[in-house]
Amino acid sequence: MQQDLIARAEAWLAEDPDGDTRRELRELVDSGDLDALAERFSGTLQFGTAGLRGELGAGPMRMNRSVVIRAAAGLAAYLKATGQGGGLVVIGYDARHKSADFARDTAAVMTGAGLRAAVLPRPLPTPLLAFAIRHLGAVAGVEVTASHNPPRDNGYKVYLGDGSQIVPPMDGGIAAEIDAVGPLDSVPRPEDGWEILGDEVLTAYLERTDTVLSAGSPRTALVVHTALHGVGTEMLNAAFARAGFPAPVPVAEQAEPDPDFPTVAFPNPEEPGAMDLAFATARRAAPDIVIANDPDADRCAVAVPDADAQSGWRMLRGDEVGALLAAHLVNKGATGTSGVFAESIVSSSLLGRIAEAAGVGYEETLTGFKWIARVEGLRYGYEEALGYCVDPDGVRDKDGITAALLVAELASELKEQGRGLADLLDDLALAHGLHATDQLSARVKDLSLITRAMDRLRDHPPTVLAGLTVTSAEDLSAGASGLPPTDGLRYHLDGAYRARVIVRPSGTEPKLKCYLEAVIPVATAADLPSARTVGTELLTSLKRDLAEAAGI
């Protein structure tokens, strides 16, 4: 066992092209740190519908140049096997550690395989890559990013020619080709031959961002913006300037890219403390709203003034922003006669109520924009994890820049009426009932704990949660409601109120995630405070009972 582990590490060292990871691995071998070696060589990072994502470091269980070169070679082989061998592959990257290296390696492999490769000119938002694929007529795209993961992580996201992320069976086909890649020195990697794109693609993207706004709409909302040390500042500022909004007030400490994310524990606007500096800036600048992008700027978070909050600001849930944008698109007549609103199954059912009232098509998909983006006739799509697709013909993915523009337009219209986003949320509650949502999330170090919790719920499904009867329990691994199979459980509850619970392992992080919704009828505006209290109490009880049922 020990000799085999050392032998595998030495073989990896012999072909590792990166001096940093070679030094790391050599120190582990020389020091005899068998636990660390076993962790790095216990298997390989699995390529799936999220591509690759993991901690940076040496070995097949880490993100590194060797793993990326193999992934790129597998993707190139898959494209050639499916008749796209002469096509263009566009490559984008964020500002994380090693992202530029991974992008260059990908371009070299594609070029060596006989494909054409083009790399975006610098670290840019992921939506720019999704846009560039369609804009340039590429057969595929690669984005090097770990989105809002911790600083030690990086990732490798693959898109095909329609500008949307891969789904089964494409992921399996690419994974099989990756497994078939031989020694790294058998993968041709020329020193040049690919194109570095200029700013023309950025200009084309910015010209398209205008189309999400209505001609002549008010553009008066003042925004405080944080990029959370990511790549969103440049493009968001340019888009706001082009549209005629006031210049966003930056959170200076977080405006420039920094792969160490020094001011936040997790670079995710949903995480506790991540918005503290933004709220401090807002207390000085007195904006109408606060907007945050995650580090690769494909997500958009929104906060509104709230005198009852300690910070003076309240983060809106992704479901709330999703409903606000849907209502805004309906109110400004932007849905057309055949457009479809779509959301993932873990998002609030309020979108369906809004679509039904407006006579707009509606569809639920599995979790992730790889599914939402594939809905036929898509006009607008969102998921509760702060992702919004407001221009599917331009960016077939979530886009935190165009979503921010649309939020700012809505805030400007409401401002002219002496109202705010919270007032429109009240309107929606009165029209469709208060849809209160929350999430129970358990981060683990041992992934077997997630499997154990799912097995426990399958073997002993709950019959009552928060005093509500479980009226249906669906195992999504068998497929449900026409959806492809996925590892998840869905419960519908009824009683004094209606509720819904979905439990699933995260596809990108070591987490078990439970999505909760309770619907509280609201007769008059005077009933809203009590409805919110009931909603909060129900969600708290659902969390408690579900945690007990799952053993987490």
Side-chain angles (χ1 to χ4, degrees):
M1 174 71 176
Q2 177 178 340
Q3 289 180 332
D4 178 62
L5 189 58
I6 296 296
R8 280 186 285 153
E10 291 287 0
W12 188 274
L13 272 166
E15 64 174 15
D16 188 345
D18 190 323
D20 293 337
T21 47
R22 281 201 310 272
R23 282 188 292 274
E24 173 194 332
L25 191 53
R26 173 50 63 196
E27 289 176 6
L28 293 176
V29 171
D30 291 347
S31 67
D33 191 340
L34 298 181
D35 289 341
L37 289 173
E39 187 181 358
R40 286 161 173 77
F41 287 86
S42 60
T44 59
L45 283 182
Q46 294 301 301
F47 186 92
T49 54
L52 294 167
R53 193 175 292 188
E55 185 175 346
L56 290 163
M61 286 296 290
R62 295 286 190 268
M63 283 296 297
N64 51 64
R65 290 184 61 197
S66 297
V67 165
V68 164
I69 289 167
R70 291 181 181 280
L75 174 59
Y78 175 83
L79 293 172
K80 293 169 75 173
T82 53
Q84 302 171 88
L88 172 68
V89 178
V90 186
I91 302 150
Y93 59 103
D94 66 11
R96 285 177 177 266
H97 293 295
K98 297 292 181 180
S99 285
D101 294 335
F102 295 168
R104 185 186 186 281
D105 282 332
T106 301
V109 170
M110 295 301 161
T111 302
L115 289 117
R116 293 180 294 126
V119 184
L120 291 176
R122 54 186 174 277
L124 289 165
T126 293
L128 265 294
L129 184 277
F131 169 81
I133 293 167
R134 295 169 70 87
H135 180 67
L136 298 174
V139 297
V142 171
E143 178 69 18
V144 181
T145 181
S147 188
H148 55 274
N149 275 40
R152 64 181 181 272
D153 290 358
N154 213 327
Y156 199 80
K157 186 184 292 188
V158 176
Y159 298 73
L160 291 186
D162 61 355
S164 60
Q165 299 172 48
I166 56 170
V167 296
M170 304 165 196
D171 58 335
I174 297 170
E177 296 288 359
I178 294 172
D179 290 342
V181 174
L184 282 195
D185 60 12
S186 70
V187 179
R189 303 198 306 276
E191 291 296 318
D192 53 31
W194 55 89
E195 179 184 2
I196 304 296
L197 295 167
D199 283 356
E200 295 84 3
V201 69
L202 279 65
T203 300
Y205 169 81
L206 287 170
E207 288 174 349
R208 176 133 196 127
T209 60
D210 292 357
T211 64
V212 306
L213 304 173
S214 298
S217 64
R219 316 278 168 92
T220 57
L222 178 62
V223 170
V224 159
H225 174 253
T226 176
L228 288 182
H229 301 294
V231 296
T233 297
E234 175 193 359
M235 295 307 296
L236 183 129
N237 284 347
F240 270 59
R242 182 181 179 87
F245 287 100
V249 178
V251 178
E253 303 93 330
Q254 299 172 334
E256 296 303 317
D258 187 331
D260 294 319
F261 305 103
T263 68
V264 292
F266 285 92
N268 178 353
E270 295 178 294
E271 293 285 345
M275 296 295 291
D276 287 354
L277 286 172
F279 294 157
T281 302
R283 287 192 291 272
R284 296 191 297 270
D288 298 296
I289 54 175
V290 173
I291 286 178
N293 291 125
D294 67 336
D296 69 329
D298 62 351
R299 290 174 170 83
C300 175
V302 182
V304 296
D306 186 343
D308 294 330
Q310 185 175 359
S311 66
W313 290 83
R314 179 174 77 87
M315 285 289 294
L316 297 182
R317 293 193 172 277
D319 284 320
E320 291 177 306
V321 177
L324 288 169
L325 289 177
H328 183 44
L329 289 169
V330 168
N331 291 339
K332 69 184 208 161
T335 56
T337 57
S338 59
V340 175
F341 284 179
E343 63 178 342
S344 59
I345 58 172
V346 300
S347 304
S348 172
S349 60
L350 177 56
L351 183 69
R353 307 290 81 75
I354 294 171
E356 182 181 19
V360 175
Y362 170 75
E363 190 167 328
E364 278 189 324
T365 74
L366 294 182
T367 307
F369 264 85
K370 57 185 174 284
W371 298 107
I372 294 171
R374 295 177 181 278
V375 169
E376 187 173 349
L378 181 67
R379 175 58 188 88
Y380 166 66
Y382 99 91
E383 63 179 359
E384 53 75 42
L386 309 180
Y388 314 96
C389 175
V390 300
D391 177 25
D393 290 337
V395 177
R396 205 78 175 173
D397 199 5
K398 53 187 176 293
D399 182 348
I401 306 299
T402 49
L405 282 176
L406 205 58
V407 170
E409 180 185 54
L410 173 58
S412 298
E413 289 187 358
L414 292 167
K415 183 179 180 179
E416 287 204 344
Q417 303 165 19
R419 308 175 79 224
L421 298 181
D423 297 307
L424 181 53
L425 286 172
D426 287 349
D427 293 348
L428 292 173
L430 286 168
H432 306 291
L434 177 69
H435 288 63
T437 61
D438 202 352
Q439 190 178 129
L440 172 64
S441 183
R443 183 182 292 272
V444 300
K445 290 186 177 180
D446 180 359
L447 291 177
S448 69
L449 296 176
I450 294 177
T451 303
R452 195 177 308 161
M454 295 295 291
D455 289 344
R456 176 169 170 158
L457 289 171
R458 286 188 168 104
D459 293 341
H460 305 284
T463 56
V464 176
L465 294 170
L468 302 177
T469 300
V470 177
T471 57
S472 70
E474 298 169 285
D475 189 340
L476 301 179
S477 65
S481 305
L483 297 171
T486 188
D487 187 9
L489 301 165
R490 178 166 60 181
Y491 307 105
H492 287 97
L493 303 95
D494 211 342
Y497 305 99
R498 289 185 294 112
R500 185 206 65 196
V501 173
I502 295 176
V503 185
R504 59 179 284 271
S506 171
T508 56
E509 298 177 270
K511 284 182 176 180
L512 182 69
K513 304 182 84 170
C514 310
Y515 305 85
L516 320 172
E517 179 180 57
V519 181
I520 318 299
V522 183
T524 69
D527 297 321
L528 280 167
S530 61
R532 290 198 172 94
T533 299
V534 170
T536 299
E537 291 173 349
L538 262 177
L539 293 172
T540 300
S541 297
L542 282 171
K543 281 185 183 180
R544 181 197 63 230
D545 292 356
L546 187 62
E548 181 178 348
I552 57 175

